[in-house]
Amino acid sequence: MRYVCVTVWFFQSLIIALVIPNIGDVIKLLGSLAAVFIFIFPGLCMFKCTLRSDPSYVRKKSMALISMSLIFMALGGFIFGVVFTQGMKGLINGQE
């Protein structure tokens, strides 16, 4: 699954870089992916590690870690959406 995600991500970045003529606009759009690296990927790793260590959710610590990982992923998705939307609005309106 991770190979598919990385391949799709690479080709989307390549298409964006080829279609948009100004490098500043590309940087704004790709900058929104920082939220993915900072919040979503660590949240996914925490979620997976917690499931491996306690698949039956016996400990309260496991439920807390799963809740925290879901909060990380939701926050990362929100930040990504906001920054990406602002970048697209600026690109459509032609603003800097």
Side-chain angles (χ1 to χ4, degrees):
M1 183 66 179
R2 64 180 170 220
Y3 293 119
V4 173
C5 288
V6 169
T7 304
V8 169
W9 193 332
F10 172 76
F11 283 111
Q12 284 179 343
S13 299
L14 183 65
I15 290 169
I16 288 172
L18 291 173
V19 171
I20 301 173
N22 187 1
I23 191 69
D25 295 332
V26 173
I27 291 172
K28 286 180 190 176
L29 291 177
L30 294 179
S32 65
L33 298 177
V36 175
F37 288 122
I38 295 170
F39 291 104
I40 294 177
F41 285 158
L44 286 171
C45 291
M46 184 189 305
F47 187 79
K48 187 67 173 178
C49 289
T50 304
L51 288 180
R52 282 187 183 168
S53 67
D54 187 19
S56 61
Y57 311 116
V58 176
R59 297 179 290 177
K60 290 184 181 183
K61 180 182 177 183
S62 297
M63 292 304 289
L65 287 174
I66 287 175
S67 299
M68 192 173 2
S69 67
L70 292 175
I71 290 170
F72 273 18
M73 290 186 283
L75 181 64
F78 175 75
I79 293 172
F80 171 79
V82 168
V83 174
F84 187 78
T85 303
Q86 287 176 348
M88 288 302 290
K89 280 176 132 178
L91 183 65
I92 291 169
N93 293 336
Q95 299 174 352
E96 289 286 3

